[in-house]
Amino acid sequence: MSDEESTEYYTLLCDDPSHEVVLVDCGPRETDVILAVRKVTGQSLWHSRDLTRQAPVTLLGGLPAYRAQSAVAVLQRAGARAEWRQEPDPGERTAPSA
């Protein structure tokens, strides 16, 4: 590269940061929630049951906002308490969950 040429670097910012879907509580309709978790995650029935019983648990990550909202809606229709959150930036520390 000669002295006349220069290289410019740009940092691209994503308009839609990644989101995660968190199952907060199963609620009284455990079977319906297990089937909803299976539908949302694509996991086996056995694994979906284990995830449901481990609530609060993060089910999905790295989703755009509209997909996270859609997954939460499916879980809520089944009777679960679920929410979507923006994922923390890499290297950003979060408080440990209790």
Side-chain angles (χ1 to χ4, degrees):
M1 215 184 258
S2 69
D3 293 335
E4 295 175 11
E5 293 180 33
S6 66
T7 304
E8 294 183 25
Y9 294 96
Y10 297 95
T11 302
L12 299 177
L13 301 176
C14 182
D15 292 336
D16 188 17
S18 298
H19 292 82
E20 60 187 13
V21 175
V22 179
L23 176 65
V24 177
D25 184 47
C26 175
R29 297 172 19 206
E30 182 180 8
T31 304
D32 292 340
V33 174
I34 291 170
L35 293 174
V37 168
R38 183 177 187 196
K39 180 179 181 177
V40 166
T41 63
Q43 298 289 330
S44 69
L45 191 57
W46 182 271
H47 191 69
S48 298
R49 185 191 69 168
D50 287 344
L51 284 172
T52 301
R53 291 182 175 171
Q54 292 175 7
V57 64
T58 301
L59 297 177
L60 299 167
L63 300 175
Y66 72 93
R67 292 213 37 223
Q69 290 172 342
S70 174
V72 167
V74 169
L75 294 166
Q76 288 175 343
R77 279 194 300 269
R81 240 182 62 215
E83 57 188 42
W84 60 281
R85 305 174 184 161
Q86 184 174 334
E87 286 186 336
D89 292 328
E92 184 179 316
R93 296 198 46 117
T94 58
S97 58

